[in-house]
Amino acid sequence: MKKILNLLLYILRYILCIIAFFITLYIMIIMCNRLDKGFIDILYLAIPYFLLFLLFLFNLFLRNKYINSNIFYNITCCLVFIVNILVCCRCLFDKSMLLNRVYGYSINFGFFNDYLSFNSIMLYGLAVSTIFFMFTYNRNN
Amino acid sequence: MRRFFIEYSYIIGFTITGLVFGLACFLLFVNFYHYKNTNVVYYQDSVLSKRLVSINNKINSAHNNIYSVDVNGYSGDIDKVSLLNLYSKLSFCITKLDSIGSSFNKKKLNVQDVYNLTLLYKNNIINDCVVVQLYDLDKNINIEKLNIIKPFVKLNADSLINSVSYVKKNLENNSSYFLSSKFMKDNVFEVTRDSYIEVLNSYEESVDLVYDLTVFFKSLIGV
């Protein structure tokens, strides 16, 4: 049971990472258009996603069981991306937050902006913990 | 130092993962709680319904005050053109009050309805009636008795102009997470209900102002 659950979460974290990245990027591009900023200005937001995805792929090829079979780590990754997707969906579709219509873009940029710092903390935190788990792998190998 | 990190990297990795897990759980629950709070529906009670009935009666009285007089047939000392100007200002305001009266009668209100009502009231009554028509009441109107009530009208108009600005801003800021308890919502402030009551209070004050002006107008004609 534990192995099946871990396998599901292991596959889900890749899918959720990609969905979370693209939905965040969509909102960021519209935000940049609204503020007349270039794409380079929001590139720094894509860095934690790329970093995390690279670490995931790196550990996939290394077959690091301290990360791939770590159920707590997999749950945390999935939870982080679910929160990311949930916040982005609320920015886009939750009309009870009145800033959703005030800007005229049907996106609540204020709410999204408040969340961005938490998002960076969680993604960089996951990347750092992945690196620490990789040290463990190296030590035991 | 390197050996320390390699030895304890498993613990540090789990610690950081645990902290990230805690933060993610916090954000998840805060979002659910915030969603529940912003989707509160307010049901109009009997006290407010009675208040709306009395406001409607006052608008009807103001209506009668204005439309029961024959301004064209007036033959007194006061300048007829000025009377007609005053008449057109007041009848415009009464028309505006009539047009938005039904919007306040909605029994079930969510935060979007209250926000729409605030905008409707601000644009139609505050901007079109109070600011444009009543603020400079003696513009193109040459009636001596108007100087007596002009300060009263200006004072009320000033109070009305700013009365719903903070309500509008407060409603627009409902995206921020706020963790108010049930006690606070029952006793202190609840966004949907109290914003609606503030707009209703302002609406009642504007109706009172227009009604008082129609009584004044009727006294000018001598009816």
Side-chain angles (χ1 to χ4, degrees), chain A residues 73 124-134, chain B residues 12-14 16-17:
Chain A
Y73 176 81
Y124 280 120
L126 275 178
V128 166
S129 67
T130 311
I131 292 167
F132 274 109
F133 284 133
M134 281 162 67
Chain B
I12 295 168
F14 263 113
I16 296 171
T17 311

Side-chain angles (χ1 to χ4, degrees), chain A:
Chain A
M1 182 70 191
K2 196 179 159 187
K3 271 190 177 173
I4 297 167
L5 180 66
N6 195 48
L7 182 68
L8 274 169
L9 290 168
Y10 174 69
I11 297 166
L12 201 62
R13 76 175 184 195
Y14 287 95
I15 299 168
L16 288 174
C17 182
I18 294 166
I19 296 170
F21 172 66
F22 280 112
I23 202 170
T24 308
L25 191 69
Y26 170 71
I27 295 173
M28 285 310 301
I29 287 171
I30 297 178
M31 203 192 246
C32 277
N33 278 338
R34 175 178 158 251
L35 298 169
D36 285 329
K37 281 191 171 185
F39 189 70
I40 306 290
D41 292 319
I42 59 156
L43 207 59
Y44 73 95
L45 280 165
I47 295 171
Y49 289 99
F50 284 134
L51 180 67
L52 205 54
F53 200 72
L54 276 169
L55 286 169
F56 286 167
L57 289 177
F58 192 60
N59 287 302
L60 174 72
F61 295 125
L62 274 182
R63 290 170 201 249
N64 186 341
K65 71 172 172 80
Y66 288 99
I67 294 171
N68 298 339
S69 304
N70 189 339
I71 198 164
F72 181 58
Y73 176 81
N74 287 331
I75 288 173
T76 307
C77 288
C78 292
L79 193 61
V80 165
F81 297 131
I82 286 169
V83 168
N84 193 345
I85 293 165
L86 178 75
V87 167
C88 292
C89 286
R90 283 195 78 202
C91 291
L92 292 167
F93 305 120
D94 189 359
K95 303 296 175 195
S96 60
M97 291 196 294
L98 294 165
L99 280 182
N100 208 305
R101 56 179 261 197
V102 165
Y103 290 121
Y105 287 84
S106 298
I107 297 177
N108 189 343
F109 293 118
F111 182 71
F112 183 71
N113 225 17
D114 288 343
Y115 169 73
L116 275 179
S117 50
F118 290 116
N119 193 36
S120 298
I121 291 169
M122 289 193 294
L123 292 173
Y124 280 120
L126 275 178
V128 166
S129 67
T130 311
I131 292 167
F132 274 109
F133 284 133
M134 281 162 67
F135 281 138
T136 312
Y137 175 75
N138 283 333
R139 178 198 62 171
N140 285 322
N141 264 8

Side-chain angles (χ1 to χ4, degrees), chain A residues 96, chain B residues 36-52 103-115 117 171 185-186 189-201:
Chain A
S96 60
Chain B
K36 220 174 103 193
N37 267 312
T38 53
N39 274 288
V40 164
V41 173
Y42 172 62
Y43 293 94
Q44 228 186 64
D45 56 20
S46 57
V47 171
L48 272 179
S49 302
K50 282 180 193 165
R51 218 172 134 191
L52 281 168
S103 309
F104 281 92
N105 291 331
K106 217 172 168 186
K107 295 291 173 196
K108 189 174 140 185
L109 295 152
N110 59 27
V111 73
Q112 278 211 64
D113 294 327
V114 175
Y115 185 70
L117 191 62
L171 285 168
K185 278 190 278 208
D186 288 343
F189 187 76
E190 202 279 311
V191 175
T192 313
R193 178 193 70 198
D194 293 326
S195 304
Y196 173 72
I197 289 171
E198 282 299 319
V199 175
L200 185 66
N201 288 344

Side-chain angles (χ1 to χ4, degrees), chain B residues 78-109:
Chain B
I78 302 171
D79 174 33
K80 204 167 177 182
V81 172
S82 299
L83 266 180
L84 280 167
N85 281 337
L86 183 59
Y87 172 83
S88 75
K89 279 180 189 260
L90 291 175
S91 64
F92 178 83
C93 280
I94 288 168
T95 312
K96 284 287 179 183
L97 285 170
D98 270 335
S99 68
I100 77 157
S102 56
S103 309
F104 281 92
N105 291 331
K106 217 172 168 186
K107 295 291 173 196
K108 189 174 140 185
L109 295 152

Side-chain angles (χ1 to χ4, degrees), chain B residues 92-159:
Chain B
F92 178 83
C93 280
I94 288 168
T95 312
K96 284 287 179 183
L97 285 170
D98 270 335
S99 68
I100 77 157
S102 56
S103 309
F104 281 92
N105 291 331
K106 217 172 168 186
K107 295 291 173 196
K108 189 174 140 185
L109 295 152
N110 59 27
V111 73
Q112 278 211 64
D113 294 327
V114 175
Y115 185 70
N116 291 338
L117 191 62
T118 309
L119 287 179
L120 188 73
Y121 171 71
K122 198 172 184 344
N123 293 333
N124 287 302
I125 306 301
I126 304 290
N127 294 345
D128 291 350
C129 170
V130 174
V131 172
V132 174
Q133 305 295 335
L134 303 181
Y135 197 74
D136 281 325
L137 199 58
D138 57 353
K139 198 175 174 186
N140 300 327
I141 294 174
N142 186 18
I143 300 172
E144 212 178 299
K145 281 185 184 174
L146 210 58
N147 294 328
I148 303 166
I149 65 156
K150 196 180 141 190
F152 154 80
V153 172
K154 215 157 195 169
L155 193 69
N156 276 280
D158 278 332
S159 138

Side-chain angles (χ1 to χ4, degrees), chain B residues 175-190:
Chain B
S175 312
S176 303
Y177 296 133
F178 60 96
L179 302 175
S180 62
S181 62
K182 192 176 185 303
F183 174 79
M184 269 194 71
K185 278 190 278 208
D186 288 343
N187 298 296
V188 181
F189 187 76
E190 202 279 311

